[in-house]
Structures are given as structure tokens and as C-alpha cells.
Amino acid sequence: MRRRIRLAGLDDVSADGLIVVDKPGGMTSHDVVARIRRLARTRRVGHGGTLDPMATGVLVIGVGRATRLLTYVIGAGKSYTATIRLGQATVTDDAEGDVIATTPAGLVTDAAIRDALAALTGEIDQVPSAVSAIKINGQRAYKRVREGESVELPARRVTVSRLELLAVRRDQPDVVDVDVDVTCSSGTYIRAIARDAGLALGVGGHLTALRRTAVGGFALAEAATLDELERRAPEVVTLPLAAAADRFFPRRDATPAETVVLSHGGPLEPAGIAGPYAVFDPSGGLVAIVSEREGRARAEIVLAPA
């Protein structure tokens, strides 16, 4: 069911739900959010995980009440295709930064590349790129780097569940371009994989292309371009709130009495479902996202309309 709200200076807004956007290169994630706010005619829009301006691909956008689901989307696993250039290191670990070191990489063998990538697979301690969005004393690391500071970030434990070598291209004599397919946990930096592979091979490395192909169960095949969304505005939501929750979470169906209790923040009897999970009312509407603890099923967020 559509929930419409009147906002100052804006017309009626689009339905609550998620949009899987195919982000173009050259735009920040915030740029995409700003465009969707205009198209959906609401300020209540957010994104489920930053993509760098040079990156393209899956960016999950929440509209209306669905913005409250984004905290779960941000923590979901992600997949990418990427190109690593061996033979050059940059200040940003990607193609947007200045080259700070060059080492001819033409003699690096395919076998050595495979070994370097294998060492970066599984649970690893990864030092994020110095130009990441991680905050240091309240200020983003990338801002400190741009202001001339030297930034060192502590390593974080991440999981790279798949790092598949797709192709090795030797189109130029002193650099090697390596195409990879990556599936990893939230918080993994693909730029750091490029940097660390180059370090392990002794020639330096940086990322020249990045395309996010999936976030959780949301894949590139269902993503809409901004041009497509522009043509159907303000009806831009592709997954209404209940359908989005049903896709992303395990499901529990509540009785009418349980619906009343849960919609007012009260606990339910446990159902033995590994949480968090989505609870739906008898008509199929989303009531809450719930987890079970201390023998009760308790709402993490209540999403039933007031």
C-alpha cells in the first residue's frame, strides 16, 4: 500500500521501497541520492553502501520508510568485477590518484599473479586505503589525505570469499592489467586488494576499473539506470517495502493479535527463526524487523504505518 506524505516545496512522494540503481561513473553515491530525491519528490532517500565516483554498478537506494532497511543492506556481502593494473602505484590506490611509483611489471608471470591473489583470499587483515571514508577523530581519512596529511589506518578483518582471475592482459610493455571477479564481506576495499597484490609482486598496483555486480541478493540484472528512472518518475521504486523485506530477510507471518502487539513495540513468542527476520501482517504488509533474544521475539525496527 502506498503511503503519501506532503512535504514543503515538494509534490506527493513516491511509494516506500528500494531501488536497485546501476550507478554511472563520475557520480558520487550522494549525487545519486540527490537525483532520486528529485525524481521521487521526497527528501527521505538514502543509499545502502558507498560507491566511489569512478565505480559503476549496483547501488541500493531506499525511499521513505525503506530507508530504515538500509542499515542491513550496508552490512550485506558484495560482489564486484575489477581491473588491477600492476606496475604502477598511486596515492589513492586507484586511477583517480597521482602515480607515486612505477616498476616494470612485464616479467611478472601469470602463476605469480595467481599466487598473489590466492594469498588475499579468505579471512584476511586488510589495511583500508588512506583515502577511504573512515573517520579519524571525526574527519574522513580522504579529507586528511587531500589536505596533505599522512594517514595510517589500522587493519580490519574482512572476508574475501572469492577472488577469481578472469584475464591477464599485456597490452603495454611495462604494465599488466588483471581482470578479477570478487565476492567479499562488507567493509572490504577492492582498491586495497589491488594495492596489496602489487606490493606482494614487488611492482605496485592500483585499481583502474570497478563495477559492483551485487549487494546481498540485489543484482545488476535488475538494476535500473538513472535515465530509465527519469522516464518513469515519480514512480521510481522498483521493490515496494514489503517485497523488498521479503527478498532480503527470512519471513514470519503474524496473526492479527500478534500484529497489534508488534506494531506497538511489544514482544512476540519466539518462532525459532535465525534473525533478523521480517514479520508480515495477515494482509501481507510489513510490520517489523525482528530478532529473537532472551526467549522473546523483539522488534529491531517497527515499520507498520502509524
Side-chain angles (χ1 to χ4, degrees):
M1 188 174 92
R2 176 169 302 163
R3 183 189 185 204
R4 291 188 174 270
I5 309 169
R6 180 72 66 178
L7 293 172
L10 295 174
D11 296 329
D12 287 349
V13 303
S14 185
D16 301 321
L18 298 181
I19 312 166
V20 184
V21 176
D22 185 353
K23 186 189 91 65
M27 293 183 74
T28 67
S29 298
H30 181 73
D31 290 338
V32 176
V33 167
R35 177 80 68 86
I36 299 299
R37 282 178 178 149
R38 178 178 64 79
L39 297 179
R41 300 177 186 168
T42 177
R43 295 188 182 92
R44 199 174 177 190
V45 177
H47 67 77
T50 301
L51 270 179
D52 292 335
M54 70 166 271
T56 66
V58 174
L59 182 66
V60 180
I61 299 291
V63 178
R65 285 179 294 150
T67 56
R68 301 188 69 193
L69 299 179
L70 293 176
T71 183
Y72 303 100
V73 174
I74 289 170
K78 298 173 177 66
S79 295
Y80 302 86
T81 55
T83 299
I84 299 166
R85 172 157 289 185
L86 300 173
Q88 297 173 341
T90 71
V91 68
T92 58
D93 301 326
D94 64 23
E96 296 191 326
D98 294 334
V99 175
I100 54 175
T102 59
T103 304
L107 297 180
V108 175
T109 66
D110 289 12
I113 293 170
R114 290 183 187 278
D115 289 345
L117 295 177
L120 296 171
T121 305
E123 286 195 9
I124 60 173
D125 291 319
Q126 183 186 73
V127 176
S129 171
V131 291
S132 69
I134 294 170
K135 286 187 176 180
I136 305 172
N137 297 325
Q139 190 175 41
R140 302 287 185 189
Y142 64 76
K143 191 166 191 261
R144 290 177 175 271
V145 170
R146 287 169 183 166
E147 291 173 352
E149 292 187 40
S150 177
V151 171
E152 292 185 13
L153 296 170
R156 294 180 168 191
R157 178 57 60 97
V158 299
T159 300
V160 180
S161 54
R162 184 169 55 90
L163 180 48
E164 181 183 352
L165 177 61
L166 299 178
V168 177
R169 292 180 285 112
R170 303 174 184 273
D171 301 326
Q172 301 179 47
D174 291 333
V175 299
V176 178
D177 290 320
V178 180
D179 298 327
V180 296
D181 196 343
V182 187
T183 298
C184 55
S185 61
S186 177
T188 304
Y189 285 87
I190 311 303
R191 282 177 292 160
I193 291 176
R195 176 201 65 205
D196 293 343
L199 286 171
L201 292 164
V203 295
H206 70 280
L207 201 66
T208 61
L210 182 65
R211 184 156 176 76
R212 189 152 69 190
T213 55
V215 175
F218 303 117
L220 196 57
E222 64 186 302
T225 66
L226 290 175
D227 286 344
E228 290 168 341
L229 295 173
E230 187 94 35
R231 287 193 291 271
R232 63 177 188 244
E235 306 297 332
V236 292
V237 166
T238 52
L239 277 170
L241 181 62
D246 203 21
R247 277 273 305 275
F248 199 76
F249 299 95
R251 180 187 180 107
R252 175 178 178 179
D253 292 298
T255 66
E258 289 173 332
T259 297
V260 172
V261 170
L262 191 58
S263 63
H264 289 88
L268 302 182
E269 290 298 318
I273 303 172
Y277 59 82
V279 178
F280 296 83
D281 65 27
S283 67
L286 179 63
V287 182
I289 306 301
V290 166
S291 61
E292 297 185 0
R293 55 190 186 276
E294 299 175 353
R296 306 293 276 171
R298 303 180 186 275
E300 294 186 0
I301 55 173
V302 175
L303 290 150

